[in-house]
């Protein structure tokens, strides 16, 4: 079995990994680290949950260490661009823990908060900068940040950045980075716009592909419950009577519904909270911390707010409302079954959402097991789903299991989702709801 030291990592990094409790490298780490240590550019097709942060952070730290220079004010040596503040914070956390024995200065910049502290951190000298594109450009224009000393450029979740409309910002940022650099681009999916961005900025790159949509998704027990819109509340409460449903992420499409669901849960005595874009950054961080520590049992979130939430041990993801597209479904359910554990994903599907369900099943090429337990099963919705999708008679899996323990068995009919993550699923939407990546309306 490959170990981290086989990959050529230096001792201070190995010590940090031991402290983190990482015993063996994940597949993406095994593939990426040696090539990145050689200085190669990389196109990584991988999503969050694969260990990709360490896959790029470790070699980057080691290469920075091989050629140490004093941290300069406003002029970082490494830039990691990422779509959301949650991801930015998480990546910075990674650098902090992996680099704890190396003493580099890193900082994070993102929008939605005052810029004072970020500017002060830049002025104090910085080696590694993790940033979201909008705020970064803003600070560059104000001359608080200068990218002329960048040696390492990482574009993380490139598909998300493009989905969120950051393409022009990203291009403007990249244009100011020296051509002589090591460049990495990671993306969960590889549609043509991401590919053309990649070929424009990478040189003689190594392409690595891990298939966590498949491997992650395979460890997740997926079920759909056909239910009327009115019964969703009661169904959620019924599921939560099971103590084994202990750390739960509930997804809604809008912040309005997120708030309502959280309020109802609190009223019924469940420790719950909501996280979405209307809340201040501090409030979101507090909520997330309470969820991580277990004080909050149920976190209700919109897609954008939950992007990249990295909390280990989420036992259940519940789609209170179906996601608007298959990509979001894969992202949502990927919040459970992190780092090798298993988990369960339960989708509440009402009559209007049958089209969304079918799009998900088509794209991921898997049939989601139907669960009729708890007595809220809406037969007419199920029938409608059969009509729309043509579930073959007699093949419909009947999941009657209790919710407690995610079984280790794979749901029936499951194959890995398509690598392109189902962009075409968006064309199949029934037009309800907003794009989950549209910050203005959905988060
Ligand atoms: P990422 O894909 O970077 O978001 O990482 C997903 C999760 O896996 C994070 O919680 C990491 O802390 C964890 N992780 C990353 N690498 C390893 C490893 N080699 N062993 C165990 N856990 C890991």
């Amino acid at each position: 079995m490959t170990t981290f030291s086989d990959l050529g990592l230096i001792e201070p990094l190995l010590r940090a990994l031991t402290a983190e409790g990482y015993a063996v490298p994940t597949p993406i780490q095994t593939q990426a680290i040696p090539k990145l240590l050689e200085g190669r550019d990389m196109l990584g097709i991988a999503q969050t949950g694969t260990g990709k942060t360490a896959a790029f952070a470790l070699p980057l730290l080691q290469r920075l260490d091989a050629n140490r220079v004093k941290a300069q004010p406003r002029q970082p040596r490494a830039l990691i661009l990422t779509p959301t503040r949650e991801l930015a914070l998480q990546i910075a956390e990674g650098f902090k823990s992996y680099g704890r024995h190396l003493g580099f200065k890193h900082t994070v910049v993102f929008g939605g908060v005052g810029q004072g502290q970020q500017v002060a951190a830049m002025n104090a000298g910085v080696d590694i900068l993790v940033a979201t594109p909008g705020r970064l450009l803003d600070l560059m224009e104000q001359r608080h940040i200068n990218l002329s000393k960048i040696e390492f450029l990482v574009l993380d979740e490139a598909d998300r950045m493009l989905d969120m409309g950051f393409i022009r910002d990203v291009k403007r940022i990249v244009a100011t980075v020296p051509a002589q650099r090591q460049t990495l681009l990671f993306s969960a999916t590889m549609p043509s716009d991401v590919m053309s961005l990649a070929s424009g900025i990478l040189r003689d790159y190594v392409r690595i592909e891990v298939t966590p949509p498949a491997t992650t998704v395979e460890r997740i027990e997926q079920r759909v419950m056909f239910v009327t819109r009115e019964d969703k509340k009661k169904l959620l409460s019924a599921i939560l009577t099971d103590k084994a449903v202990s750390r739960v992420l509930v997804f809604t499409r809008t912040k309005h519904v997120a708030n309502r669901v959280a309020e109802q849960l609190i009223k019924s005595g469940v420790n719950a909270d909501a996280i979405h874009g209307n809340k201040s950054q501090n409030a979101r961080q507090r909520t997330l911390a309470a969820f991580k520590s277990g004080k909050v049992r149920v976190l209700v979130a919109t897609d954008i707010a939950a992007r990249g939430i990295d909390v280990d041990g989420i036992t259940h993801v519940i789609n209170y409302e179906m996601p608007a597209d298959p990509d979001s479904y894969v992202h949502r359910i990927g919040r459970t079954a992190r780092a090798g554990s298993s988990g369960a994903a339960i989708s509440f599907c009402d009559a209007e959402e049958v089209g969304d369900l079918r799009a998900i099943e088509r794209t991921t090429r898997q049939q989601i097991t139907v669960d009729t337990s708890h007595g809220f099963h809406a037969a007419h919705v199920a029938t409608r789903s059969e009509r729309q999708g043509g579930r073959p008679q007699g093949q419909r899996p009947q999941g009657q299991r209790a919710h407690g323990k995610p079984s280790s068995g794979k749901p029936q009919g499951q194959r890995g989702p398509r690598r392109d993550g189902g962009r075409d699923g968006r064309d199949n939407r029934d037009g309800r709801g907003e794009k989950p990546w549209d910050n203005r309306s959905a988060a």
Side-chain angles (χ1 to χ4, degrees), residues 4 20-26 29 47-54 90 98 310 312 338-339:
F4 280 109
E20 278 297 296
Y22 295 3
V24 281
T26 65
Q29 291 162 2
Q47 62 163 206
T48 324
T50 53
K52 106 181 120 83
T53 313
Q90 229 163 262
Y98 310 140
D310 181 21
D312 291 333
R338 312 274 294 179

Side-chain angles (χ1 to χ4, degrees), residues 206-419:
V206 185
R207 177 188 160 110
I208 56 167
E209 186 163 354
V210 289
T211 48
T215 44
T216 305
V217 168
E218 271 168 19
R219 288 195 309 269
I220 302 171
E221 181 195 329
Q222 297 170 64
R223 279 174 278 145
V224 60
M225 301 188 79
F226 293 112
V227 62
T228 62
R229 175 154 285 258
E230 301 72 56
D231 278 345
K232 285 187 175 187
K233 243 186 294 177
K234 288 183 238 160
L235 177 58
L236 180 60
S237 296
I239 289 172
L240 290 171
T241 55
D242 185 345
K243 291 267 184 302
V245 184
S246 59
R247 186 168 291 181
V248 190
L249 188 54
V250 174
F251 280 97
T252 64
R253 281 206 197 184
T254 64
K255 45 201 167 192
H256 172 68
V257 178
N259 278 337
R260 217 180 51 214
V261 171
E263 279 162 20
Q264 279 155 359
L265 289 174
I266 292 165
K267 254 190 223 151
S268 65
V270 175
N271 274 330
D273 204 346
I275 188 167
H276 53 66
N278 268 12
K279 297 204 166 176
S280 72
Q281 179 61 17
N282 282 345
R284 289 163 71 165
Q285 289 313 119
R286 266 200 310 277
T287 303
L288 209 50
F291 186 52
K292 275 188 185 175
S293 73
K295 262 188 239 149
V296 164
R297 176 184 174 203
V298 182
L299 183 63
V300 190
T302 55
D303 289 275
I304 282 283
R307 180 72 57 222
I309 283 184
D310 181 21
V311 177
D312 291 333
I314 292 178
T315 58
H316 292 72
V317 166
I318 294 180
N319 293 315
Y320 190 88
E321 296 179 298
M322 296 298 287
D325 68 298
D327 244 13
S328 298
Y329 178 79
V330 173
H331 274 271
R332 283 183 178 189
I333 70 170
R335 303 302 104 206
T336 181
R338 312 274 294 179
S341 61
S342 60
I346 305 169
S347 299
F348 293 0
C349 180
D350 68 29
E352 284 179 59
E353 294 172 315
V354 164
D356 300 323
L357 173 71
R358 295 302 312 161
I360 290 163
E361 291 189 326
R362 268 196 306 276
T363 304
T364 59
R365 298 206 190 125
Q366 55 187 244
Q367 201 173 55
I368 302 173
T369 305
V370 179
D371 182 342
T372 57
S373 58
H374 293 297
F376 296 100
H377 179 65
H380 68 281
V381 180
T383 314
R384 183 163 169 169
S385 138
E386 277 164 28
R387 272 207 313 276
Q388 283 212 6
R391 276 174 199 276
Q393 284 299 318
Q395 268 193 25
R396 175 142 60 100
Q398 286 289 336
Q400 299 272 12
R401 256 172 272 121
H403 290 285
K405 253 187 119 196
S407 80
S408 56
K410 290 177 198 169
Q412 208 171 319
Q414 183 162 300
R415 259 163 284 150
R418 275 197 349 227
R419 200 84 11 96

Side-chain angles (χ1 to χ4, degrees), residues 6-146:
D6 294 337
L7 299 180
L9 292 174
I10 54 177
E11 190 275 336
L13 292 174
L14 295 176
R15 245 190 306 148
L17 290 170
T18 308
E20 278 297 296
Y22 295 3
V24 281
T26 65
I28 191 174
Q29 291 162 2
T30 307
Q31 291 178 55
I33 291 171
K35 297 289 180 197
L36 292 176
L37 286 174
E38 285 170 20
R40 297 289 300 272
D41 279 7
M42 181 165 289
L43 176 66
I45 304 166
Q47 62 163 206
T48 324
T50 53
K52 106 181 120 83
T53 313
F56 68 74
L58 292 164
L60 201 151
L61 284 162
Q62 182 155 334
R63 286 177 59 77
L64 284 173
D65 182 64
N67 170 27
R68 290 198 79 109
V69 283
K70 189 173 179 307
Q72 298 296 312
R74 294 177 296 281
Q75 297 188 316
R77 295 175 65 195
L79 170 65
I80 296 89
L81 268 184
T82 187
T84 67
R85 41 193 171 182
E86 275 78 16
L87 271 168
L89 286 165
Q90 229 163 262
I91 293 168
E93 235 354 87
F95 275 103
K96 186 174 165 197
S97 52
Y98 310 140
R100 68 183 80 172
H101 302 301
L102 293 175
F104 287 114
K105 288 191 164 181
H106 58 85
T107 195
V108 201
V109 313
F110 48 78
V113 293
Q115 68 172 49
Q117 280 183 8
Q118 298 174 0
V119 170
M122 292 307 301
N123 285 333
V126 60
D127 296 294
I128 302 158
L129 174 64
V130 186
T132 55
R135 174 58 63 92
L136 173 59
L137 263 183
D138 201 2
L139 295 183
M140 284 165 64
E141 275 156 13
Q142 299 175 53
R143 300 186 189 279
H144 293 304
I145 297 179
N146 173 318

Side-chain angles (χ1 to χ4, degrees), residues 159-178:
D159 52 352
R160 286 285 140 195
M161 282 202 281
L162 300 202
D163 279 346
M164 289 169 73
F166 285 137
I167 181 72
R168 287 184 53 206
D169 289 355
V170 169
K171 286 188 170 159
R172 281 174 63 199
I173 291 164
V174 174
T176 72
V177 175

